[in-house]
Amino acid sequence: MRRPLLFTTAALTVTALHFAVVTVWPASLLVTVLCLVGAFVFVLRLPEEHPWTLGLLAGAFAVVVHGTMIVLEQLARFPTAWLHAGYTAHVMEHHDVLPSLGARFSWPAFFVVTASAFSPAGDSVPEPVLRFAPLFFVLAMLPAILVIARRCVVVWRGSWRAPWLAVWFFPLIDWFGQDYFAPQSLALLLGLSIIAIVLTLSDRPPTLWTTRDGVLRRGGLLWPRRPGIRDAALVRARIPDALLLVGSVVVLCAAVAMTHQLTPFVIAVQLAVLWYAGRLPWMLPAWIVGVTALVWVSWGASDFWIPFIADVFGGVGDPVGNLSAGIVERTGGSAEHQTVVAVRLGFTLAVVLAAAGGVIAEYVRDRRIELSLPLLAAAPGFLLFAQSYGGEGVLRVMVFATPFLAMLVTKLFITRRGLGRAAAAAVVIVSVACVPPFLVARYGNEPFERVRADEIALAGCLYDRAPAGSTILSVSPHLAWQFRDIADHLHLSANERVFDAETADDLRARLEQTPRPRYLIFTEPQLQFVVRSLGAPATWPTALQRELAADPAMTVVCENSGGVVYRVGGAG
């Protein structure tokens, strides 16, 4: 026990030193990762399981990978996180929700819960909550992933190494940035918890695809059990726990249904494939989740989907079009943006191929394939047949599949004999080698995804000056705004998906027939988004700034190093 404790203490000490020196020595990130993975692999190769040690090391690794940028950045990244803070602030102040503001308020559970939690702290969500939310959600998902992996990663009876390796790999391949202060983050956490609880409640052995007579056939339970008196007594003893778990699942299903549009349907499909794989005795959990979601959509979210029924169902049955919206339309823009997209696609493809390699390795090694994990990873693919989800359909599929892809990857390294020396070395090499592409994939769009203090100050000045009922136009949607007074103004954005507002005249045209007074907010991240993502000429930001400064209809209201706020056409 002394050697694991020694290695763990040394690795955690290096982790603490990393956060102390990373601002002056960025290379400390790779050094810390190397120390952590070395200690983790050492403990993983021991004959006995040391859960607390492995948990500390895996948690420290997640903190290093996902928390380093929190130290380096001044404020919470992702402008959308600040928008969600604005929704929450509205609930804090008015104690109600307004579905007319947007689709998010048709699934308001996240905002209601966070408003209740942080109301004693003031009238808005504290900024540190926004900043540390990604790290919180990643760490909170790890226990659920561990429980699911213990039930699904079948290497040999009693294996404990593969689940811990899945917990290790998940933070490293979760580059998608969908774990910020947002409803989908909470919904994904609750969804994984539902799957973990249901698998714990069922405790059924997995169904395998095995080779019989030269043909891959479904059947053959691993570790078959014969029911008897002891099993009946065990069932009776577990009835109170089972009722508690079932009640928990029902409550979680209701919470997920009122939190996010897609997650409950994905969870329902994943529970259905678990039933098909023999892990659940009934389809009841899938029906509970699916019916609960349909009830909420039909009743609680009717204000959203009835007026926009064509948009909601427009992509149904068009997987090619939805795939194009998720990939092809995102590959344009500047050379820097294309590089980031290429790294993201390559990194994601490598993870998917590694997961497929894990399935193949399992079949070659044991002449069997356990169905649960491949089906769980593939189940979110049905979203491509639903709609593009604003061009994020492919991204959402990968977000839901990533925990199970991490579990499949472990099959490349863990065998019946455990974790051999070659496999242990491979884990170390892969962990260190994946850090650079992970950082590029997750943080490659920092010029317009990072939020700066001067940007927040500029938006705050705007809300101080603009009277209620004003129209506020942004040059592009990528800026931190709407974090207060979200229902008091009409917020519009130009250049959302295509570069279609090049001049001051184009921007003024967007404000026609809108309430006065009218304001235009102009910040550097907005311009970077239009240039890097939408392909505007590199000279366009400078030209537009000069045009706006020379336009007599534009009156400067607020200005700092982050940008300018103009009042358009006077106050009347």
Side-chain angles (χ1 to χ4, degrees):
M1 183 63 185
R2 293 181 179 178
R3 295 182 66 185
L5 181 61
L6 178 62
F7 273 80
T8 303
T9 303
L12 295 179
T13 301
V14 172
T15 301
L17 291 175
H18 157 70
F19 284 103
V21 303
V22 66
T23 55
V24 294
W25 187 39
S28 64
L29 175 61
L30 291 178
V31 174
T32 305
V33 169
L34 183 60
C35 293
L36 285 172
V37 69
F40 182 81
V41 168
F42 172 81
V43 179
L44 202 64
R45 296 191 71 234
L46 294 175
E48 297 181 357
E49 181 181 10
H50 297 271
W52 285 105
T53 301
L54 292 169
L56 284 173
L57 291 172
F61 179 66
V63 169
V64 168
V65 172
H66 288 262
T68 297
M69 292 303 295
I70 294 177
V71 174
L72 296 178
E73 294 179 341
Q74 295 178 336
L75 297 170
R77 67 194 310 266
F78 290 126
T80 312
W82 294 84
L83 170 63
H84 294 158
Y87 275 86
T88 305
H90 175 84
V91 177
M92 288 179 173
E93 182 178 357
H94 299 282
H95 306 288
D96 68 353
V97 295
L98 289 177
S100 59
L101 284 178
R104 292 173 175 86
F105 263 162
S106 291
W107 286 267
F110 174 80
F111 306 109
V112 173
V113 170
T114 52
S116 301
F118 297 109
S119 289
D123 57 359
S124 62
V125 181
E127 188 278 330
V129 174
L130 306 182
R131 196 190 321 174
F132 287 94
L135 185 58
F136 166 79
F137 282 115
V138 169
L139 290 175
M141 291 177 195
L142 296 185
I145 292 173
L146 179 64
V147 173
I148 296 171
R150 285 190 185 277
R151 301 293 179 181
C152 293
V153 180
V154 179
V155 179
W156 75 96
R157 187 171 186 177
S159 172
W160 53 267
R161 293 180 176 86
W164 283 111
L165 194 58
V167 169
W168 177 267
F169 279 138
F170 171 72
L172 189 59
I173 63 178
D174 180 32
W175 63 263
F176 306 99
Q178 296 298 302
D179 45 23
Y180 59 100
F181 185 80
Q184 70 262 19
S185 303
L186 177 61
L188 180 58
L189 173 61
L190 296 178
L192 290 173
S193 301
I194 290 173
I195 295 176
I197 291 173
V198 168
L199 285 173
T200 302
L201 176 64
S202 172
D203 198 22
R204 292 191 67 183
T207 300
L208 307 176
W209 283 77
T210 57
T211 301
R212 289 182 292 173
D213 303 325
V215 179
L216 193 64
R217 302 178 185 274
R218 182 174 182 265
L221 295 179
L222 191 67
W223 323 321
R225 296 176 57 189
R226 297 179 179 178
I229 297 178
R230 292 185 178 180
D231 290 327
L234 180 62
V235 169
R236 287 195 298 270
R238 294 185 61 189
I239 286 178
D241 293 338
L243 292 176
L244 178 60
L245 289 174
V246 170
S248 301
V249 169
V250 172
V251 172
L252 291 176
C253 289
V256 173
M258 293 186 290
T259 299
H260 195 239
Q261 304 96 314
L262 295 181
T263 304
F265 297 103
V266 175
I267 299 304
V269 173
Q270 289 177 325
L271 292 174
V273 301
L274 282 175
W275 168 79
Y276 175 78
R279 301 312 303 269
L280 302 181
W282 312 287
M283 277 277 286
L284 181 60
W287 282 111
I288 292 175
V289 177
V291 170
T292 304
L294 288 175
V295 168
W296 178 256
V297 169
S298 302
W299 174 62
S302 58
D303 290 335
F304 165 72
W305 67 268
I306 291 178
F308 303 101
I309 190 169
D311 296 332
V312 173
F313 297 103
V316 174
D318 185 19
V320 176
N322 295 333
L323 186 66
S324 174
I327 296 180
V328 177
E329 295 179 5
R330 292 174 175 265
T331 57
S334 66
E336 294 88 349
H337 183 257
Q338 292 180 16
T339 300
V340 173
V341 171
V343 172
R344 288 179 168 181
L345 292 176
F347 191 43
T348 302
L349 181 60
V351 171
V352 173
L353 291 178
V359 176
I360 295 173
E362 180 185 33
Y363 174 71
V364 172
R365 184 172 58 238
D366 303 324
R367 287 296 184 267
R368 60 172 173 78
I369 297 176
E370 198 276 315
L371 294 178
S372 301
L373 289 180
L375 291 178
L376 285 170
F382 86 92
L383 292 176
L384 296 178
F385 292 86
Q387 60 166 304
S388 68
Y389 200 70
E392 292 190 357
V394 178
L395 185 66
R396 302 290 178 169
V397 169
M398 292 306 304
V399 168
F400 289 117
T402 296
F404 310 104
L405 294 176
M407 299 176 198
L408 288 172
V409 170
T410 64
K411 297 177 182 289
L412 288 174
F413 304 93
I414 306 293
T415 66
R416 290 177 179 271
R417 297 180 179 179
L419 184 66
R421 292 184 178 179
V427 171
V428 174
I429 294 172
V430 168
S431 298
V432 176
C434 285
V435 171
F438 168 84
L439 294 176
V440 174
R442 186 172 177 95
Y443 303 105
N445 289 329
E446 282 293 271
F448 57 84
E449 288 183 345
R450 180 178 180 181
V451 175
R452 297 168 175 81
D454 51 13
E455 185 181 1
I456 296 298
L458 188 71
C461 176
L462 167 62
Y463 291 124
D464 289 337
R465 302 292 182 87
S470 300
T471 299
I472 303 174
L473 175 68
S474 63
V475 176
S476 82
H478 275 269
L479 79 159
W481 64 339
Q482 302 187 60
F483 51 81
R484 52 175 276 204
D485 304 337
I486 190 171
D488 294 343
H489 310 288
L490 174 62
H491 294 87
L492 304 174
S493 294
N495 299 311
E496 292 194 46
R497 297 185 183 178
V498 294
F499 180 43
D500 56 1
E502 183 176 355
T503 66
D505 291 336
D506 296 331
L507 295 173
R508 279 198 301 269
R510 299 297 180 93
L511 293 172
E512 293 181 359
Q513 309 302 319
T514 61
R516 292 174 178 266
R518 302 163 180 168
Y519 295 87
L520 172 69
I521 183 168
F522 181 102
T523 63
E524 184 63 24
Q526 295 173 268
L527 305 179
Q528 290 294 328
F529 169 77
V530 179
V531 172
R532 290 173 177 263
S533 186
L534 302 184
T539 58
W540 170 75
T542 302
L544 181 61
Q545 291 181 59
R546 291 175 178 174
E547 185 178 357
L548 292 174
D551 192 331
M554 300 288 178
T555 304
V556 176
V557 175
C558 303
E559 184 176 11
N560 63 20
S561 58
V564 184
V565 173
Y566 295 99
R567 187 174 64 244
V568 183

